[in-house]
Amino acid sequence: AGSLMTTKLSQPQSTLAKSLTSTSTNAPYFKTLESTEIPPYVTNCPSNGLCSRLPPDCMTCNTNYSCIYGKTATFDCKVKPHVHCVDENNHEQENFTINMTCQFCWQLATSDYVCTNSTNCMTVSCPRQRYNATCTVRDHIHCLGNRVFPKMLYCNWTGGYKWSTALALSITLGGFGADRFYLGQWREGLGKLFSFGGLGIWTLIDVLLIGVGYVGPADGSLYI
């Protein structure tokens, strides 16, 4: 009986010992995986390049609250984890300084950021319509604040209609409504066709309206 009890008790102890051993062995393994995981921003960071030329997503900088708007200021920066860069002497460094203009990202010139486009608004309207766009600063541009920001922009998309073609059709075949048909305005085109261009009056008016850009494509887009 004594040996039987010893056997029964030894089984749970051995199982417990295995579970403890397994847990203590696996815990460092999971921590190693977490520590070696490479962040997604690293793919946009050139390796062993100049620190001062890294994209903004590869570094963190301290805000210089004493900078004057529109003037060049110096900012203290540090590379993010897993990013490797060097100084001008080809020595690896983590802390460095960059020079950039003191201004927020939404105050940049339009050529320094890219915005979403909308094809649901009318470009030919009075007053000219605006739409809500989401803008993103280009990778090589440094600025203060959020690099993705909303902005109200004028409708500026195009459906591929040429102003020169519309004007040429209006002058030559405007009496048959060819200009209105080209612009996608079928009802006006049929009206001109069956009225012989409004006996010439409608044709003359359309030449003037298309010439100054008042009459545009039916889809509301801009000429190219």
Side-chain angles (χ1 to χ4, degrees), residues 78-171:
K78 181 180 181 180
V79 294
K80 289 184 178 181
H82 303 284
V83 177
H84 303 280
C85 62
V86 297
D87 58 12
E88 295 178 353
N89 297 321
N90 205 29
H91 296 152
E92 187 171 354
Q93 62 177 357
E94 292 185 359
N95 300 304
F96 56 96
T97 59
I98 62 171
N99 295 323
M100 68 177 179
T101 305
C102 180
Q103 61 183 347
F104 288 99
C105 295
W106 59 269
Q107 296 173 319
L108 292 171
T110 55
S111 58
D112 293 335
Y113 54 83
V114 179
C115 300
T116 56
N117 203 354
S118 174
T119 58
N120 296 324
C121 57
M122 300 289 290
T123 59
V124 182
S125 63
C126 186
R128 191 175 175 186
Q129 289 187 6
R130 294 173 180 258
Y131 69 98
N132 292 316
T134 300
C135 303
T136 305
V137 181
R138 298 184 184 275
D139 290 340
H140 64 284
I141 302 297
H142 295 274
C143 56
L144 301 176
N146 295 326
R147 298 184 61 81
V148 179
F149 54 90
K151 198 162 190 177
M152 290 288 293
L153 298 178
Y154 284 111
C155 297
N156 60 351
W157 65 285
T158 178
Y161 295 93
K162 292 185 177 180
W163 172 81
S164 58
T165 302
L167 183 60
L169 290 174
S170 183
I171 295 174

Side-chain angles (χ1 to χ4, degrees), residues 5-68:
M5 291 182 63
T6 303
T7 305
K8 290 182 178 179
L9 289 174
S10 62
Q11 289 179 352
Q13 288 179 354
S14 61
T15 305
L16 179 61
K18 288 182 180 180
S19 64
L20 289 175
T21 304
S22 176
T23 303
S24 61
T25 304
N26 291 340
Y29 176 73
F30 287 117
K31 289 182 179 179
T32 304
L33 285 179
E34 291 177 358
S35 61
T36 57
E37 184 179 356
I38 300 177
Y41 61 78
V42 176
T43 57
N44 299 323
C45 304
S47 180
N48 296 324
L50 287 176
C51 294
S52 58
R53 295 186 180 180
L54 285 174
D57 291 338
C58 305
M59 65 181 77
T60 55
C61 299
N62 296 327
T63 304
N64 187 347
Y65 293 101
S66 61
C67 68
I68 301 175

